Amino acid sequence: MVYRGVLFDLDGTLLDTLEDLAGAVNRLLAERGYPTHSVDSYRYFVGNGPLMLITRALPETARQQEIISACLEAFRADYRKTWQVHTRLYPGVAEMLDGLSSRRLQLAILSNKPHDFTLTCVDKMLNQWNFSVVLGLRDSVPAKPDPAGALEVSHAVGIPPEEFLYLGDTSVDMKTAVAAGMHPVGVLWGFRSPEELQQSGARMLLERPQEIFQLLG
């Protein structure tokens, strides 16, 4: 198969955002007298958007709609101010993007972060590279693992889904790729385990970003 496009997840795939996400949520939890969590715990809280992040972080006894909504608002206000404290590109990602760009592949991003904030993150951290399409979570399109966003990317750049590699670090990403008919590639430098990625449909696992070039020949 000749691949002409690469669709990336954002958090856990291109950007290591875990510490800043954990910090913002832990601050709101502490302010409200709820237990906080280790940074590592947040590997399993993220992946399905901010609403699920807050819901998972709250104690089960505090998961009423009004509490979740208030905490979500507080999280968004804090995270918009603090998201760039520790967030960095993963080692090797810049070189991977340079290499893919030199091969003239179409690059795109699909995230479950809110759309406007996804654009901000890409503009601040990934502006050296040209991404044909950058999409975050929007009210009009179902969140991943629904394939709608991935298929929208495919249509926008005029490349069939089967000619896309889809790189992600969670079961959400692998399920999205499978449902969209893209080639699911799990990355092991992100938030989840190889077992989760394989069980969710990953057809290849990458330990380092540069290994993607093995798929391109």
Side-chain angles (χ1 to χ4, degrees), residues 175-197:
K175 290 175 181 177
T176 304
V178 170
M182 297 180 175
H183 187 98
V185 180
V187 305
L188 299 181
W189 56 84
F191 298 160
R192 302 287 177 83
S193 69
E195 292 78 16
E196 174 181 321
L197 294 168

Side-chain angles (χ1 to χ4, degrees), residues 2 13 33 35 53 97 122 127 156-157 165 171 190 214:
V2 176
T13 300
L53 167 62
L97 294 174
V122 173
N127 58 20
V157 300
L165 296 174
S171 61
Q214 299 172 15

Side-chain angles (χ1 to χ4, degrees), residues 23-181:
V25 179
N26 276 341
R27 281 189 290 274
L28 76 86
L29 293 173
E31 287 169 3
R32 287 158 173 78
Y34 299 128
T36 58
H37 307 278
S38 68
V39 172
D40 201 55
S41 297
Y42 282 89
R43 294 179 183 276
Y44 295 92
F45 295 166
V46 301
N48 295 91
L51 177 62
M52 285 304 300
L53 167 62
I54 296 303
T55 303
R56 289 165 176 161
L58 282 167
E60 289 188 18
T61 55
R63 292 176 184 173
Q64 291 85 44
Q65 187 57 53
E66 61 273 17
I67 295 176
I68 293 171
S69 296
C71 289
L72 181 59
E73 183 177 348
F75 163 73
R76 285 173 168 159
D78 184 312
Y79 188 53
R80 283 187 178 277
K81 297 175 183 177
T82 60
W83 74 271
Q84 222 174 337
V85 175
H86 300 288
T87 291
R88 300 288 185 272
L89 273 70
Y90 283 103
V93 162
E95 293 79 5
M96 173 183 67
L97 294 174
D98 285 342
L100 294 172
S101 298
S102 70
R103 294 181 182 224
R104 302 187 182 280
L105 273 76
Q106 293 284 337
L107 308 181
I109 292 172
L110 179 64
S111 176
N112 271 346
K113 257 183 163 63
H115 181 64
D116 62 336
F117 197 60
T118 297
L119 295 176
T120 296
C121 293
V122 173
D123 181 62
K124 297 290 186 182
M125 304 291 295
L126 294 158
N127 58 20
Q128 293 177 244
W129 300 279
N130 179 37
F131 293 93
S132 301
V133 183
V134 177
L135 298 177
L137 187 61
R138 297 158 291 159
D139 291 338
S140 59
V141 179
K144 300 184 292 183
D146 190 287
L151 294 173
E152 182 178 345
V153 170
S154 172
H155 178 75
V157 300
I159 296 175
E162 62 269 18
E163 295 180 17
F164 264 94
L165 296 174
Y166 185 123
L167 268 67
D169 68 302
T170 71
S171 61
V172 171
D173 296 305
M174 298 302 96
K175 290 175 181 177
T176 304
V178 170

